[in-house]
Amino acid sequence: DAGITQSPRHKVTETGTPVTLRCHQTENHRYMYWYRQDPGHGLRLIHYSYGVKDTDKGEVSDGYSVSRSKTEDFLLTLESATSSQTSVYFCAISRGPDTGELFFGEGSRLTVL
Amino acid sequence: GQQLNQSPQSMFIQEGEDVSMNCTSSSIFNTWLWYKQDPGEGPVLLIALYKAGELTSNGRLTAQFGITRKDSFLNISASIPSDVGIYFCAGQLAGARSRQLTFGSGTQLTVLP
């Protein structure tokens, strides 16, 4: 196991409510990522972080924000959830930005009604 | 948007058969990787390829980085029931400002007894 814990693992919420997903790692890696997985789309990058307070947008960042105040925690926030954000969210870590070798968490399934 | 074409989308094979899947793109990639996702879990790295023409094996799995740098394939020999899952190709685009991975949409593999 790569020492990645995502919480919550499952959440059902209503449109318009805020949601925060947490990713916690015990590997002390600088590089962390949030992906969403949807049928027919594979995995798409939402946001990523290269260190504490160093974050950037990925391919599908609209409607999402992130924060990284500690090396071990990377939070993904949906300020006002919409039904289009129903998805499975994966956190990943890597030893460096160039390898492409990611270690994924077990995922958080979010349903927005 | 999606720049990797992964095929086939799904495969049903008999236990013991060999499997082949591939990813193609109109763009050039510096890195190709193959991940496997078991139901309810996050993807796990199978093989990473860093040089054009590179052929790498991991047990019954063999993957190649295409010589044109625009494609990659994954072969699984003598399939077994635990090979069931979704296989994703991923790559790092050459020349991209971001070194983030682009994922294919996945190949769902079913192994019949």
Side-chain angles (χ1 to χ4, degrees), chain B residues 14-56:
Chain B
Q14 295 291 138
E15 184 176 352
E17 288 184 346
D18 296 344
V19 174
S20 184
M21 59 191 78
N22 68 83
C23 267
T24 61
S25 175
S26 57
S27 303
I28 293 173
F29 285 79
N30 284 334
T31 306
W32 284 97
L33 306 104
W34 287 90
Y35 288 83
K36 183 196 176 195
Q37 184 179 29
D38 290 329
E41 299 184 11
V44 174
L45 180 65
L46 298 174
I47 293 178
L49 303 155
Y50 295 103
K51 288 173 56 176
E54 181 179 356
L55 184 71
T56 297

Side-chain angles (χ1 to χ4, degrees), chain A residues 9 33 35 37 40-43 45 48 50 59 90 97-102 104-106, chain B residues 1-2 31 33 35 37 40-43 45 48 50 88 92 98-101 103-105:
Chain A
R9 294 291 314 279
Y33 311 81
Y35 285 86
Q37 183 179 21
H41 289 277
L43 290 138
L45 182 65
Y48 58 99
Y50 282 178
E59 177 188 358
F90 286 98
D98 292 327
T99 69
E101 298 180 18
L102 302 180
F104 286 86
E106 293 184 320
Chain B
Q2 196 67 262
T31 306
L33 306 104
Y35 288 83
Q37 184 179 29
E41 299 184 11
L45 180 65
Y50 295 103
F88 291 101
Q92 288 179 316
S98 165
R99 288 163 289 189
Q100 305 314 315
L101 290 182
F103 280 83
S105 55

